[in-house]
């Protein structure tokens, strides 16, 4: 059974670890800032759903340590392969919030330029992004770059064939890929016990011949330390690592889901006690790194950020119907040109003209 | 029994329930179909009523779900599996096309696979990408698969019961836009068998041929056309494979004009097949070329643009207008 890596206890006490050191104070403060803004982003996105501005939002509340830790571990040229749940990581890595939310406002399938940000489009079909991550990593090696690819997925996604294929390929090709599984205990309603009979998802690393680490996914310090090491290992040419983060989805799968149907209030309450934010805050306060002035400043920054998100989403221009026909093929087809012309004629005639 | 208000989701739930009660070998499984009752609540209460051995959640793997269903069917069971959404059935494509569809043929009939694959499909629900595909053409194109596409609650019940009793694999396409639309249905009345189309509205001037989510749109178009002085018939195919060629031909020969309506991108689709078929079988009775009103040949649009993509009443009536009425 794999030992869990934890550097901060739930009350913020430092736990000595023989292998992983606590990140530097400045880094911890940066992480904390990310957590506060990330939490505020999740809350803001939820209210945008309630106002009908987002079609749907899969919240990462409770998983912010993984989101922020993932973004923090990457260097400028590295790649991130996120899922629908990882909008906070995408934003933390530098994508403007409106571009990150374009998928969920229903304006387009992906609102940012993946090449510019080195972030793949957020993947909805489960585990399908993982083999792509291996391909990007392998190309980097062929091109002599030291690029590392961090690929995210959930516990449920580890049951898909693509998960197995990606990990196996990465190990066989010694690809510079870090697989971060956010084990938040559920795939919609289905608990982890229905996904695997293994004691932990990290145990699967052995079968692929790849090192695997089980980390407390609600300990921002531990997540970052573990990912730092895995990224360094990949960058050095030593190959992939599987990281399982033990975490919890504090909210329903999405706003469309009713989590009360399959899990207890008690369980949610227990995990609320292990919330990553208060944990790091307690440590930072205890050591004097976080004073009242800094806290106020962070709160203000979070509010400013939320209002930027709100305003950005409100200001989004309606998508152009003609965009439907663009970029389906690199070379436009006559058939699509005809269809675009039909729609254009209809729109000029106006709706309800019959 | 008389007609009652029934949603399609409830009709399918009742069909599963009745089939499980009638035959112990009927098993329901997939993603979130157990305690949750499915993301659309179609399997609500089945685990409670029949136990976790009869209705259960699997690990999250569509290829595994289909593959296991095939094995179960090889050993006396009648699996009814759910693919959570149309596009999430694609990881199971290999199992469906290379094994489910071909087993009877490969084994010269020694093995047959009574498996039902339920697929919530098509759009109109404001779903983000991968939640609104019209995937019927992939299945209809694959020899060996029976493909059903009910449009009403009564058909959803009756055709699903028939599908579960069918000796061969059935892809059962459920239009999610219709799941929660309540309509009069008497599920105790037998419905027409697999392979038959039904005329939902008679009309001598032209025939609208459609299925699944587009049937209510076609009926609304026919209603509006009637107000404008044109009588349009509406033929609901119900079964895409096998296709009721006879009824299609009779309807089109009688009216002399046809418009095929479907959400699917039109190129190389079920709609394309229908147009070709009508050309072959009804050429001398046609007053005008067959028109198709389908989705555009593009990836399914994001929520804010889907209304431009889906066949609308206006687009259907525009197509009808082009059926060379000057010859009438
Ligand atoms: C191939 C595929 N099958 C089914 C789905 C539907 N679906 C969306 S999210 C989800 C649960 C995923 O659980 P997990 O991997 O644990 O990620 P989490 O949502 O918990 O972050 C399911 C079944 C999908 N998106 N893709
Ligand atoms: Mg999960």
């Amino acid at each position: 059974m794999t030992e869990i890596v934890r550097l901060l206890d739930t009350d913020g006490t430092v736990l000595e670890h023989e292998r992983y050191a606590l990140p530097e104070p400045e880094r911890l403060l940066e992480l904390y800032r990310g957590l506060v803004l990330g939490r505020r982003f999740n809350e803001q996105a939820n209210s945008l759903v309630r106002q009908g501005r987002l079609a749907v939002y899969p919240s990462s509340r409770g998983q912010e340590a993984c989101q922020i830790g993932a973004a923090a571990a990457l260097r400028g040229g590295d790649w991130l392969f996120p899922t629908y749940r990882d909008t906070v990581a995408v934003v933390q890595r530098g994508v403007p919030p409106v571009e990150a939310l374009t998928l969920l406002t229903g304006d387009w399938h992906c609102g940012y330029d993946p090449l510019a940000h080195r972030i793949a489009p957020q993947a909805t079909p489960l585990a399908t992004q993982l083999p792509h991550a291996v391909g990007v990593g392998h190309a980097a090696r062929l091109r002599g770059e030291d690029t590392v690819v961090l690929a995210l997925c959930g516990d449920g996604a580890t049951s898909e064939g693509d998960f197995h294929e990606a990990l196996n390929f990465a190990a066989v090709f010694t690809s510079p890929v870090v697989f971060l599984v956010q084990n938040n205990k559920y795939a919609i309603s289905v608990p982890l016990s229905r996904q695997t009979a293994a004691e932990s998802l990290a145990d699967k690393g052995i079968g692929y011949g790849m090192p695997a680490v089980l980390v407390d996914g609600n300990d921002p310090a531990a997540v970052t330390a573990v990912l730092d090491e895995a990224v360094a290992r990949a960058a050095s040419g030593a190959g992939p690592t599987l990281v399982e983060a033990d975490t919890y989805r504090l909210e329903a799968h999405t706003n469309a889901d009713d989590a009360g149907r399959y899990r207890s209030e008690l369980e949610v309450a227990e995990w609320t006690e292990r919330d990553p934010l208060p944990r790091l805050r307690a440590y930072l306060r205890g050591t004097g790194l976080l004073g009242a002035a800094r806290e106020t400043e962070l709160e203000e920054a979070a509010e400013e950020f939320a209002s930027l998100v709100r305003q950005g989403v409100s200001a989004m221009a309606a998508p152009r119907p003609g965009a439907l026909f663009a970029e389906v093929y690199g070379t436009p087809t006559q058939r699509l040109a005809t269809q675009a012309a039909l729609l254009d004629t209809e729109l000029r005639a106006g709706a309800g003209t019959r | 029994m008389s007609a009652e208000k029934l949603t399609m989701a409830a009709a399918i739930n009742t069909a599963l329930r009745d089939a499980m009660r009638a035959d112990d070998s009927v098993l329901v499984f997939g993603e979130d179909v157990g305690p949750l009752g499915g993301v659309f609540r179609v399997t609500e209460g089945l685990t409670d009523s029949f136990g976790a051995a009869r209705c259960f959640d699997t690990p999250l793997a569509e290829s595994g779900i289909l593959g296991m269903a095939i094995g179960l069917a090889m050993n006396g069971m009648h699996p009814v599996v759910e693919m959570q959404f149309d596009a999430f059935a694609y990881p199971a494509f290999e199992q469906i096309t290379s094994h489910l569809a071909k087993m009877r043929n490969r084994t010269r009939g020694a093995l047959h696979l009574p498996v039902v694959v339920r697929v919530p499909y098509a759009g109109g629900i404001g779903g983000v990408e991968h939640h609104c595909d019209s995937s019927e053409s992939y299945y209809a194109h694959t020899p060996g698969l029976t493909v059903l596409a009910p449009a009403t609650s009564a058909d959803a019940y009756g055709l699903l019961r028939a599908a579960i009793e069918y000796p061969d694999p059935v892809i059962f396409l459920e239009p999610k836009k219709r799941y929660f639309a309540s309509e009069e249905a008497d599920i105790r009345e037998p419905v027409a068998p697999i392979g038959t189309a039904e005329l939902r509205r008679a009309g001598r001037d032209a025939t609208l041929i459609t299925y699944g989510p587009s049937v209510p749109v076609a009926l609304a178009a026919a209603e509006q056309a009637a107000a404008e002085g044109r009588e349009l018939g509406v033929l609901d195919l119900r079964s895409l494979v096998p296709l009721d060629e006879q009824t299609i031909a009779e309807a089109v020969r009688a009216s002399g004009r046809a418009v095929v309506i479907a959400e699917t991108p039109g190129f190389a689709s079920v709609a394309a097949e229908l147009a070709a078929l009508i050309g072959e079988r009804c050429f001398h009775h046609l007053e005008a070329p067959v028109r198709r009103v389908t989705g555009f040949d593009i990836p399914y649009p994001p929520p804010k643009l889907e209304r431009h993509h889906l066949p609308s009443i206006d687009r259907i009536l525009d197509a009808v207008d082009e059926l060379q009425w000057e010859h009438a």
Side-chain angles (χ1 to χ4, degrees), chain A residues 190-268:
Chain A
V190 181
L192 185 67
S193 59
R194 306 293 301 170
Q195 299 296 347
T196 183
E199 274 191 51
S200 77
L201 294 169
D203 281 355
K204 296 189 179 212
I206 284 193
Y208 297 111
M210 124 174 20
V213 187
L214 174 60
V215 63
D216 183 334
N218 286 12
D219 175 352
V223 170
T224 308
V226 165
L227 290 178
D228 277 352
E229 188 205 51
V231 166
R233 180 171 186 276
S236 76
T241 304
L242 169 61
V243 179
E244 173 187 359
D246 179 42
T247 183
Y248 193 79
R249 195 192 75 208
L250 283 177
E251 292 179 321
H253 172 69
T254 68
N255 50 290
D257 174 39
D258 174 8
R261 282 178 166 250
Y262 53 83
R263 66 184 193 184
S264 69
E265 297 273 349
L266 184 68
E267 185 185 281
V268 179

Side-chain angles (χ1 to χ4, degrees), chain A:
Chain A
M1 171 71 182
T2 320
E3 287 273 342
I4 192 160
V5 177
R6 183 176 295 129
L7 301 179
L8 287 179
D9 219 338
T10 48
D11 62 2
T13 317
V14 178
L15 303 168
E16 289 302 322
H17 197 279
E18 57 189 22
R19 176 155 172 194
Y20 297 98
L22 201 66
E24 296 298 312
E26 269 315 306
R27 192 108 189 277
L28 289 173
L29 275 171
E30 258 317 291
L31 288 175
Y32 184 66
R33 182 190 166 82
L35 291 179
V36 171
L37 267 61
R39 174 64 51 89
R40 190 65 189 87
F41 183 90
N42 275 324
E43 287 165 354
Q44 183 57 60
N46 283 340
S47 43
L48 287 170
V49 171
R50 285 192 293 274
Q51 295 157 19
R53 297 246 179 212
L54 298 188
V56 65
Y57 184 66
S59 167
S60 60
R61 188 185 182 91
Q63 301 176 221
E64 289 95 341
C66 296
Q67 299 287 304
I68 303 304
L74 293 178
R75 304 155 309 158
D78 293 339
W79 272 81
L80 180 70
F81 276 72
T83 75
Y84 52 89
R85 187 155 325 273
D86 304 315
T87 313
V88 167
V90 170
V91 171
Q92 179 70 12
R93 179 120 170 96
V95 172
V98 169
E99 291 183 23
L101 286 171
T102 300
L103 167 70
L104 303 170
T105 55
D107 284 72
W108 202 257
H109 311 297
C110 176
Y112 53 88
D113 176 348
L115 282 178
H117 294 281
R118 294 176 93 82
I119 304 178
Q122 286 177 271
T124 298
L126 299 166
T128 54
Q129 74 281 14
L130 304 179
H132 310 164
V134 178
V136 166
H138 191 59
R141 285 200 22 149
L142 294 176
R143 293 158 58 111
E145 307 161 353
D146 85 333
T147 306
V148 172
V149 184
L150 176 56
L152 306 179
C153 75
D155 46 311
T158 65
S159 296
E160 291 281 6
D162 274 355
F163 175 83
H164 160 72
E165 294 176 34
L167 270 75
N168 192 43
F169 271 53
V172 166
F173 290 107
T174 331
S175 303
V177 181
V178 178
F179 298 96
L180 173 60
V181 179
Q182 291 173 78
N183 172 5
N184 64 7
K185 308 299 173 287
Y186 291 91
I188 309 185
S189 72
V190 181
L192 185 67
S193 59
R194 306 293 301 170
Q195 299 296 347
T196 183
E199 274 191 51
S200 77
L201 294 169
D203 281 355
K204 296 189 179 212
I206 284 193
Y208 297 111
M210 124 174 20
V213 187
L214 174 60
V215 63
D216 183 334
N218 286 12
D219 175 352
V223 170
T224 308
V226 165
L227 290 178
D228 277 352
E229 188 205 51
V231 166
R233 180 171 186 276
S236 76
T241 304
L242 169 61
V243 179
E244 173 187 359
D246 179 42
T247 183
Y248 193 79
R249 195 192 75 208
L250 283 177
E251 292 179 321
H253 172 69
T254 68
N255 50 290
D257 174 39
D258 174 8
R261 282 178 166 250
Y262 53 83
R263 66 184 193 184
S264 69
E265 297 273 349
L266 184 68
E267 185 185 281
V268 179
E270 276 168 15
W271 277 94
T272 305
E273 294 296 307
R274 295 157 75 172
D275 188 322
L277 265 90
R279 185 185 305 208
L280 185 53
R281 185 185 325 140
Y283 169 78
L284 293 172
R285 277 182 184 165
T287 52
L289 286 165
L290 187 66
R294 185 83 188 242
E295 288 201 53
T296 314
E297 182 212 316
L298 271 181
E299 272 165 36
E300 284 167 9
E303 283 319 307
E304 205 174 305
F305 180 53
S307 105
L308 190 113
V309 173
R310 273 196 307 275
Q311 285 166 15
V313 168
S314 309
M316 284 173 88
R320 267 186 329 105
L324 288 174
F325 304 94
E327 304 292 350
V328 178
Y329 302 96
T331 308
T333 63
Q334 184 55 50
R335 196 174 163 91
L336 281 193
T338 307
Q339 295 178 5
L342 169 74
L343 177 57
D344 193 52
T345 310
E346 285 178 1
L347 292 171
R348 277 172 205 282
T353 41
R354 291 195 62 93

Side-chain angles (χ1 to χ4, degrees), chain B:
Chain B
M1 266 273 190
S2 61
E4 51 172 328
K5 284 274 188 194
L6 199 65
T7 65
M8 187 180 280
I12 297 169
N13 182 273
T14 308
L16 292 170
R17 212 169 261 286
D18 291 353
M20 291 174 88
R21 205 172 283 132
D23 180 351
D24 282 347
S25 73
V26 175
L27 305 178
V28 171
F29 56 96
E31 295 160 5
D32 299 286
V33 300
L36 183 68
V39 293
F40 294 105
R41 306 292 184 259
V42 167
T43 56
E44 173 121 51
L46 298 181
T47 302
D48 260 358
S49 306
F50 298 95
R54 302 282 309 279
C55 174
F56 54 93
D57 290 328
T58 62
L60 217 174
E62 295 76 12
S63 179
I65 292 169
L66 247 300
M68 185 159 107
I70 289 170
L72 284 161
M74 287 167 69
N75 199 9
M77 296 293 166
H78 285 75
V80 183
V81 301
E82 175 175 302
M83 296 284 103
Q84 199 161 78
F85 282 85
D86 32 62
F88 303 146
Y90 301 150
F93 204 63
E94 153 73 9
Q95 291 292 346
I96 293 175
T97 53
S98 294
H99 300 283
L100 188 65
K102 291 180 181 168
M103 193 67 86
R104 176 186 281 277
N105 183 258
R106 289 168 66 212
T107 63
R108 303 175 202 244
L111 280 177
H112 65 100
L113 299 174
V115 174
V116 178
V117 185
R118 296 182 34 245
V119 186
Y121 81 124
I125 58 158
V128 297
E129 59 173 355
H130 314 296
H131 290 82
C132 289
D133 279 16
S134 286
S135 45
E136 63 268 33
S137 302
Y138 303 127
Y139 302 116
H141 185 71
T142 303
L145 298 177
T146 293
V147 185
L148 304 182
T152 66
S153 297
D155 266 352
Y157 178 87
L159 286 175
L160 184 53
R161 291 298 307 269
I164 295 171
E165 278 166 23
Y166 210 59
D168 288 311
V170 175
I171 307 294
F172 194 82
L173 299 167
E174 302 171 2
K176 25 179 134 64
K177 187 169 69 179
R178 306 295 304 161
Y179 266 149
F180 303 112
S182 191
E183 57 186 59
E184 294 281 317
D186 182 357
I187 58 173
R188 306 295 150 194
E189 280 294 310
V191 300
I194 289 172
T196 49
E198 289 246 44
L199 199 63
R200 297 285 177 210
R201 180 185 176 114
R204 60 182 144 63
D205 295 333
T207 308
L208 307 181
I209 301 170
T210 187
Y211 54 91
S214 299
V215 170
V217 187
L219 285 168
E223 192 67 32
Q224 187 164 328
E228 294 171 10
R230 228 171 237 163
E231 295 302 328
L232 307 182
V234 176
L235 188 64
D236 173 1
L237 294 175
R238 305 170 68 250
S239 174
L240 304 181
V241 181
L243 193 59
D244 188 353
E245 295 192 21
Q246 193 56 34
T247 301
I248 296 169
E250 280 164 16
V252 176
R253 282 176 191 159
S255 68
R257 290 178 170 85
V259 176
V260 177
I261 304 155
E263 285 189 20
T264 169
F267 189 77
S269 69
V270 168
E273 176 59 32
L274 287 162
L277 179 90
I278 295 166
E280 281 171 1
R281 295 203 42 157
C282 310
F283 183 76
H284 293 291
H285 301 262
L286 286 174
E287 302 289 340
V290 180
R291 303 279 314 186
R292 278 175 284 164
V293 177
T294 65
F296 296 125
D297 295 305
I298 59 174
Y300 196 85
K304 286 188 184 165
L305 294 175
E306 71 175 340
R307 68 182 184 282
H308 300 299
H309 174 73
L310 296 172
S312 62
I313 295 175
D314 280 358
R315 205 170 278 160
I316 292 168
L317 294 180
D318 284 350
V320 169
D321 281 348
E322 283 168 37
L323 295 175
Q324 303 189 357
W325 297 96
E326 57 279 14
H327 302 306

